[in-house]
Amino acid sequence: MFIYLDIYEQFTCQMCGTCCRNDWAVTVDEASYRRNAALFKATGRCGEFRQAFTVLPANAGPGEYAFITKQPGGGCWFLDSQNLCRLHKEAGHEHLDAVCQTFPRYPMNTARGIEITLSFSCPAVLDLATRNEPLKFVRADSLPGQFMPQSYAAEVHPRQQISSEPLRYYFELEQHFIDILQCRTLSLTERLEFLQETVGALARLACREDTGVRLNELVRRNYTLLDSWGKTAAAGEADSCTADVLTEHFFVNFVFKKTFYLFGLQRTMKLLDYFWRQISGGSKPAQGDSEVLTVTQATIRELEFQFFHNRRKLMAAADI
């Protein structure tokens, strides 16, 4: 079973080169390093290979053996003037390291199947998400486009949690959190407050013998409230995306990446609150709707990039 957000079906690389110029170190595993060493040796470019790849210290992270050098202007060593990858053109997609083959895709191996979404730090993804229609989930027996079955960004198996841990019921909670975030009859501030209240109640259920029962009661109560408010306001015109709607999509995508499971209920809620303060703080009353949307897009791209590629700095800024 594959589960993915519907924008995944529409994604194609626009060759803007943004991901190849980002302030991040693209690391490669040892197999990729050796594969490139053989390619460059066969073509008589050992000198360039030594310039292009730098071996990391022995205490680097799992799967991180070396990194690709940056050009003087900040782009990837292999990025050409047409925003194309020279390594891709020479040796093909399969030759690239896992990071370059996968990004901006975000695949997860979970107990209910392979789940995949996209990074909002990619301009092409953000363009797809700039719509008024709520994000939807697709369940299918196959996945559109290329997929690397061993390049999972996360492993999520909630039944490994003890029965008194609310995260044992993570998939049900994730859907519930998303339903709250997509309840457009509430303002985004009200939705986040309701989500914060729910997360606080869940934290109090931990380590109880009747955690599962109490959790069901809490979720039923919440859905009764959502039904009374109306879960989704009228969609309106498809091209009338606002800054708040885009922010909703960003939050939904962020939750779908299993962040509540991977980083904990309270920490993730603090992150969402920090994100909202950063996004809403950048919207000035004097700006027009299109200007506010543009500022929101830029802020979301930066927040997503910082969380997934410079997390320590972002966590410090958020005081987490």
Side-chain angles (χ1 to χ4, degrees), residues 21 79 90 106 114-115 139 142 144 159 165 184 213 217 222 270 278 283 298-299 304 312:
R21 292 190 180 88
L79 186 67
E90 178 180 359
Y106 190 89
I114 306 303
E115 306 190 37
R139 288 170 171 79
S142 61
R159 288 299 173 179
E165 168 56 58
R184 293 187 184 176
V213 174
E217 291 174 351
N222 282 1
K270 287 182 179 180
Q278 296 301 304
S283 301
T299 304
E304 176 107 351
R312 187 174 298 178

Side-chain angles (χ1 to χ4, degrees), residues 243-314:
D244 279 2
V245 169
L246 181 60
T247 303
E248 171 197 307
H249 297 336
F250 170 53
F251 288 160
V252 168
N253 189 57
F254 189 74
V255 170
F256 184 60
K257 287 179 174 174
K258 316 297 177 253
T259 45
F260 274 106
Y261 184 86
L262 297 170
F263 300 100
L265 294 169
Q266 297 282 11
R267 293 181 77 207
T268 302
M269 194 63 237
K270 287 182 179 180
L271 275 168
L272 290 175
D273 180 65
Y274 174 77
F275 291 164
W276 178 231
R277 284 186 279 114
Q278 296 301 304
I279 293 168
S280 59
S283 301
K284 302 295 187 289
Q287 294 173 323
D289 291 344
S290 62
E291 293 173 302
V292 173
L293 183 59
T294 299
V295 171
T296 300
Q297 288 173 323
T299 304
I300 286 173
R301 278 181 52 199
E302 180 64 18
L303 289 171
E304 176 107 351
F305 175 79
Q306 291 295 332
F307 181 79
F308 288 101
H309 303 290
N310 199 0
R311 187 173 301 146
R312 187 174 298 178
K313 178 181 176 181
L314 184 140

Side-chain angles (χ1 to χ4, degrees), residues 33-316:
Y33 179 84
R34 303 297 178 196
R35 186 166 65 248
N36 280 289
L39 172 70
F40 279 73
K41 182 178 181 181
T43 53
R45 295 178 292 159
C46 292
E48 184 186 359
F49 175 76
R50 287 191 292 271
Q51 288 180 285
F53 293 91
T54 302
V55 176
L56 290 161
N59 62 348
E64 297 181 338
Y65 185 80
F67 67 89
I68 300 175
T69 306
K70 296 281 190 180
Q71 296 178 28
C76 172
W77 180 271
F78 298 108
L79 186 67
D80 70 14
S81 58
Q82 282 75 48
N83 289 328
L84 299 176
C85 174
R86 293 189 291 114
L87 198 58
H88 185 285
K89 287 195 292 185
E90 178 180 359
H93 182 81
E94 293 74 15
H95 181 87
L96 300 177
D97 64 278
V99 172
C100 294
Q101 285 196 46
T102 305
F103 187 85
R105 302 162 189 85
Y106 190 89
M108 300 160 282
N109 183 22
T110 80
R112 63 183 182 182
I114 306 303
E115 306 190 37
I116 188 164
T117 185
L118 299 162
S119 172
F120 275 38
S121 64
C122 170
V125 173
L126 205 54
D127 284 345
L128 290 175
T130 305
R131 71 183 201 195
N132 193 54
E133 181 186 4
L135 294 180
K136 297 177 182 177
F137 294 91
V138 178
R139 288 170 171 79
D141 294 329
S142 61
L143 191 68
Q146 289 180 309
F147 172 65
M148 295 181 61
Q150 296 181 345
S151 297
Y152 299 121
E155 299 276 346
V156 180
H157 300 276
R159 288 299 173 179
Q160 294 177 352
Q161 303 282 342
I162 60 175
S163 59
S164 60
E165 168 56 58
L167 289 177
R168 181 179 175 86
Y169 312 95
Y170 174 73
F171 293 128
E172 293 84 353
L173 290 176
E174 178 185 270
Q175 184 58 61
H176 185 49
F177 295 161
I178 288 172
D179 286 341
I180 291 173
L181 289 170
Q182 291 185 324
C183 182
R184 293 187 184 176
T185 52
L186 300 178
S187 69
L188 264 175
T189 297
E190 291 170 329
R191 289 178 241 178
L192 289 171
E193 288 174 350
F194 189 38
L195 187 57
Q196 174 69 74
E197 176 192 329
T198 300
V199 167
L202 289 170
R204 293 190 292 273
L205 295 180
C207 302
R208 293 177 57 122
E209 292 184 1
D210 59 349
T211 295
V213 174
R214 297 293 185 184
L215 186 147
N216 284 335
E217 291 174 351
L218 172 65
V219 171
R220 280 199 300 269
R221 184 214 69 169
N222 282 1
Y223 274 121
T224 298
L225 289 171
L226 289 175
D227 288 339
S228 69
W229 296 325
K231 290 183 181 179
T232 307
E237 296 299 323
D239 60 349
S240 59
C241 184
T242 65
D244 279 2
V245 169
L246 181 60
T247 303
E248 171 197 307
H249 297 336
F250 170 53
F251 288 160
V252 168
N253 189 57
F254 189 74
V255 170
F256 184 60
K257 287 179 174 174
K258 316 297 177 253
T259 45
F260 274 106
Y261 184 86
L262 297 170
F263 300 100
L265 294 169
Q266 297 282 11
R267 293 181 77 207
T268 302
M269 194 63 237
K270 287 182 179 180
L271 275 168
L272 290 175
D273 180 65
Y274 174 77
F275 291 164
W276 178 231
R277 284 186 279 114
Q278 296 301 304
I279 293 168
S280 59
S283 301
K284 302 295 187 289
Q287 294 173 323
D289 291 344
S290 62
E291 293 173 302
V292 173
L293 183 59
T294 299
V295 171
T296 300
Q297 288 173 323
T299 304
I300 286 173
R301 278 181 52 199
E302 180 64 18
L303 289 171
E304 176 107 351
F305 175 79
Q306 291 295 332
F307 181 79
F308 288 101
H309 303 290
N310 199 0
R311 187 173 301 146
R312 187 174 298 178
K313 178 181 176 181
L314 184 140
M315 290 293 205

